[in-house]
Amino acid sequence: MKTALHKIGVPIAAIVIFLALWELLVWANGWPDYVMASPSDLPKAYSRFWELFLIGSWQTLWRTVAGLIIAVLAGTLLGMVMGFSRIARDALYPLLVGFNAIPKATLVPVLALLFIGQHNFNTVMMAFMISFFPIAVSVGIGLSTLEPEYRDILRSLGASRYTIFTKIALPKTLPEFFGALKVAVTLAFIGTNLVEIVSPHGRGLGALFLSAQTNSNYPLMFAVLIALAVLGIVLYYAVVYLERIFAGWAERPAT
Amino acid sequence: MTNLIEIKGVTHAYKTPLGPLPVLDNLDIAVPEGEFCAVVGPSGCGKSTLTRLIAGLMKPDKGEVWLHGELVKGPRKTVGMAFQNPVLLEWRTILHNVILPLEIVAPSMPKKDREARAHELLTLVGLEGFEDKRPSELSGGMRQRASLCRAIVHKPDVLIMDEPFGALDAFTREDLWQTMHQLREKEPFTCVLITHDLRESVFLGDQVIVLSGRPATTQYVLDVQYPGERVLDGLYTPECSDMLHTLRDQIRIAQGRAGEDAA
Ligand SMILES: Nc1ncnc2c1ncn2[C@@H]1O[C@H](COP(=O)(O)OP(=O)(O)O)[C@@H](O)[C@H]1O
Ligand SMILES: [Mg+2]
């Protein structure tokens, strides 16, 4: 009982305090809307543009998740190749690192030119490209650092490579995988928004932000930022939830 | 007398960037069925390599390994392995860790029988009541006991142990020695035990083989004549003292060769 109160009460109190401080800051400085909106302006923005928020959130959400799913599949596959083959590791690592170092904003126009008008596709692609790297690296490292004794125990019984992978290597990398997925979720989200904001005639919360800016609706801009934060939190905790289910064994009891 | 394990003239070298590294040189070992063979030798002389050859995980450059009258050409299902690192799977309970080999060797065995078999062994090594615990909830000695159960759950005819008690404190180690003897009474297996503890080799072994420094060959074979029952007090008798002295001297000779190597 006490722990449940703790788990929910503490974060909520933190958010309330944060909003109160924000309100206080704006009020004390006497800032007008166009410098910084205050939390008390936000409910108006939400109730007026309720539908736009729902549609935008949904578009942002599904495209981020789609990009993430592709990133998980491609990243796991790449990680497996790198984890099992030394040659592949030596060959792919510099390529991946190089690709990851490219600021993804520069890829927006490239994508836009390559796939003109394919806004959904471009957004999903960006979410994928920005987020697969940590997954590939974590799976690769997890597999290549598997202690040889684990493999020997099963191999000496005549187990196939596939059996060794599913019985040992895969479950053993799950904690690292979920660690990377938490990073990837945030990154994919950034990728989606980047495309939404930069593309003309974009969709999603990013596009809503852009149109709020064009119309000088400052409370709406802040309302979008808050909505983005909420979506990010939802996605993040969805991953935490999955981690509990599939890799809960890796959690040490609190000391 | 039939030898369950026969190692004949095994020579092996690892390929390294600096050229071949000879590890085993014309090694001969014979272990009769049901016997316990302890192998001691300087660090890095090739003991773990020997275990991998017996398990069929690698092939020797020259020579042959025979198990049960069959030439070893690859992994067999009739081998059990235990290492210094108990390598239990953290996402499985102790019971399901022990069951793991059965899932591979006997996939058609009913779940109930598997669990009963694992339970029987866990009881034998004193882990009754810990079946549903995770490995991280157990002490080092208990984890090693579970690892032993996993090594013999599928009734292998050969048990290969590579310094299994090396990371345990002295008292826990002595407890496990006694557990090994209890297991041997109930479960027939032929065992190769790699160790760097001479008392352990005498207490557990029917024969102790001293390997020379790298590349290892059979330098000395001690036929253990343990005075009376295999109890710890026996280690303090003059007979055991003599055997330990002999082994100590042999290790010194083996290290002498290793010393030249290092210089
Ligand atoms: N896969 C390998 N490739 C190259 N050298 C190896 C390999 N495995 C072991 N060695 C080397 O072979 C020697 C013997 O190793 P090992 O059999 O593990 O010795 P021990 O178990 O007696 O300490 C060591 O010098 C080790 O560095
Ligand atoms: Mg070794």
Side-chain angles (χ1 to χ4, degrees), chain B residues 146-183:
Chain B
S147 162
L148 272 177
C149 291
R150 178 182 58 191
I152 59 176
V153 71
H154 55 300
K155 301 189 193 255
D157 46 22
V158 182
L159 174 62
I160 303 168
M161 299 199 286
D162 192 352
E163 306 195 7
F165 314 129
L168 304 175
D169 68 82
F171 299 124
T172 310
R173 197 181 304 170
E174 289 175 356
D175 283 346
L176 271 144
W177 293 350
Q178 284 162 315
T179 303
M180 280 313 297
H181 278 306
Q182 285 154 17
L183 277 179

Side-chain angles (χ1 to χ4, degrees), chain B residues 12-17 19 21-24 41-52 58 162-163 194 211 214 216:
Chain B
H12 192 78
Y14 283 113
K15 290 171 198 68
T16 70
L21 175 75
V23 176
L24 301 177
S43 175
C45 76
K47 301 184 295 294
S48 296
T49 306
L50 175 65
T51 62
R52 295 172 58 79
M58 20 186 275
D162 192 352
E163 306 195 7
I194 310 289
L211 296 184
R214 200 174 66 228

Side-chain angles (χ1 to χ4, degrees), chain B residues 193-258:
Chain B
L193 167 78
I194 310 289
T195 176
H196 53 236
D197 183 336
L198 297 182
R199 292 166 71 237
E200 179 171 304
S201 71
V202 169
F203 186 65
L204 291 178
D206 296 310
Q207 57 171 327
V208 180
I209 293 180
V210 181
L211 296 184
S212 68
R214 200 174 66 228
T217 127
T218 319
Q219 177 182 306
Y220 185 82
V221 181
L222 175 81
D223 193 13
V224 178
Q225 300 295 335
Y226 204 85
E229 293 254 316
R230 295 267 183 167
V231 289
L232 285 170
D233 283 344
L235 284 173
Y236 302 99
T237 57
E239 291 92 329
C240 274
S241 263
D242 284 348
M243 287 191 284
L244 288 170
H245 254 123
T246 314
L247 289 174
R248 190 63 250 169
D249 287 340
Q250 289 296 330
I251 290 286
R252 213 166 282 136
I253 296 169
Q255 279 173 329
R257 250 179 90 177

Side-chain angles (χ1 to χ4, degrees), chain A residues 213-232:
Chain A
Q213 194 185 19
T214 337
N215 297 313
S216 310
N217 189 338
Y218 301 100
L220 181 56
M221 282 168 68
F222 277 94
V224 172
L225 291 187
I226 299 290
L228 282 174
V230 170
L231 262 194

Side-chain angles (χ1 to χ4, degrees), chain A residues 152-156 167, chain B residues 52 75-76 91 103-104 150:
Chain A
D152 284 353
I153 280 187
L154 288 200
R155 271 223 307 144
S156 66
K167 289 232 189 263
Chain B
R52 295 172 58 79
R76 306 153 46 95
W91 55 94
E103 292 172 10
I104 291 154
R150 178 182 58 191

Side-chain angles (χ1 to χ4, degrees), chain A residues 147-159 163 167-169 171-172 249-250 252-253, chain B residues 52 57 75-77 79 81 83 87-92 100-101 103-105 134 136 150 154:
Chain A
E147 291 94 326
E149 290 102 328
Y150 283 100
R151 217 172 314 129
D152 284 353
I153 280 187
L154 288 200
R155 271 223 307 144
S156 66
L157 298 170
T163 309
K167 289 232 189 263
I168 294 187
K172 200 163 165 50
W249 50 267
R252 303 270 154 182
Chain B
R52 295 172 58 79
L57 294 171
R76 306 153 46 95
K77 292 181 191 296
V79 166
M81 296 188 93
F83 306 95
V87 290
L88 298 173
L89 310 182
E90 205 49 59
W91 55 94
R92 288 178 173 233
L100 179 72
E103 292 172 10
I104 291 154
V105 173
R134 302 273 169 178
S136 60
R150 178 182 58 191
H154 55 300

Side-chain angles (χ1 to χ4, degrees), chain B residues 13 66 119 148:
Chain B
W66 292 77
H119 179 78
L148 272 177

Side-chain angles (χ1 to χ4, degrees), chain A residues 82 89 91-104 132-133 136-137:
Chain A
M82 291 198 297
R89 187 152 65 243
L92 290 175
Y93 226 85
L95 276 177
L96 282 183
V97 172
F99 182 78
N100 193 49
I102 299 175
K104 294 301 171 296
F132 79 94
F133 181 76
V137 170

